[in-house]
């Protein structure tokens, strides 16, 4: 079993009025390898100036985590199948919507990978099988409904 950590840092600024909701949602994510990522609430949820358009919001990070996990497994399965991937780009999109009980949730994530092959490319059936295997192996996809 593996364990993963992240440190999330936020602090109020002296001129903000926290109890009135007038405070920045900008914060940072720090990871064990040294990466520090500016983060914020989504501007779709919390309008500027209380959100930071330059920060990654949790919803974007969720979509990116699903896409990245799928890609990493896809690359591995392609390698095992004897296919060489030269480039992989995914313009992934997540949709935030309401569940039947009224709670908000990421109700759909659509992956749109565009793959460039170095040499022989798989046929349509083999490509579909690579994506299916990657989907079922992805830890993040297995963690959501």
């Amino acid at each position: 079993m593996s364990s993963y950590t992240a440190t999330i840092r936020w602090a109020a600024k002296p001129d903000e009025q926290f109890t009135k909701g007038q405070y920045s949602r900008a914060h940072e994510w720090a990871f064990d390898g040294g990466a520090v990522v500016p983060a914020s609430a989504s501007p779709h949820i919390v309008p500027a100036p209380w959100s930071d358009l330059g920060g990654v919001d949790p919803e974007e990070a969720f979509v990116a985590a699903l896409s990245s996990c799928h890609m990493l497994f896809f690359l591995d399965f392609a390698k095992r199948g004897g296919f060489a991937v030269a480039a992989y780009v995914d313009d992934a999109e997540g949709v935030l919507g309401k569940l039947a009980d009224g709670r908000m949730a990421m109700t759909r994530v659509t992956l749109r990978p565009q793959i460039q092959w170095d040499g022989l490319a798989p046929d349509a059936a083999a490509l579909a099988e690579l994506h299916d295997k990657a989907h079922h192996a992805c830890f993040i996809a297995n963690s959501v409904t």
Side-chain angles (χ1 to χ4, degrees), residues 74 78 81-85 115-117 119-130:
F74 179 90
F83 301 106
V85 177
I115 302 151
Q116 292 179 0
W117 302 96
L120 179 68
D123 62 22
L127 180 62
E129 183 180 350
L130 289 170

Side-chain angles (χ1 to χ4, degrees), residues 68-129:
S68 181
C69 185
H70 182 90
M71 179 199 70
L72 292 169
F73 276 106
F74 179 90
L75 295 175
D76 184 59
F77 289 129
K79 174 201 56 106
R80 292 182 197 191
F83 301 106
V85 177
Y88 184 109
V89 176
D90 185 3
D91 291 320
E93 177 185 23
V95 176
L96 190 65
K98 283 191 178 182
L99 299 175
D101 65 5
R103 293 181 298 146
M104 297 298 291
M106 193 64 66
T107 57
R108 183 177 65 241
V109 175
T110 304
L111 305 182
R112 298 182 183 93
Q114 298 295 310
I115 302 151
Q116 292 179 0
W117 302 96
D118 186 8
L120 179 68
D123 62 22
L127 180 62
E129 183 180 350

Side-chain angles (χ1 to χ4, degrees), residues 62 65-67 69-70 73 111 134-145:
F62 180 82
L66 278 167
S67 175
C69 185
H70 182 90
F73 276 106
L111 305 182
H135 173 72
H136 285 94
C138 173
F139 311 136
I140 306 302
N142 291 336
S143 301
V144 296
T145 58

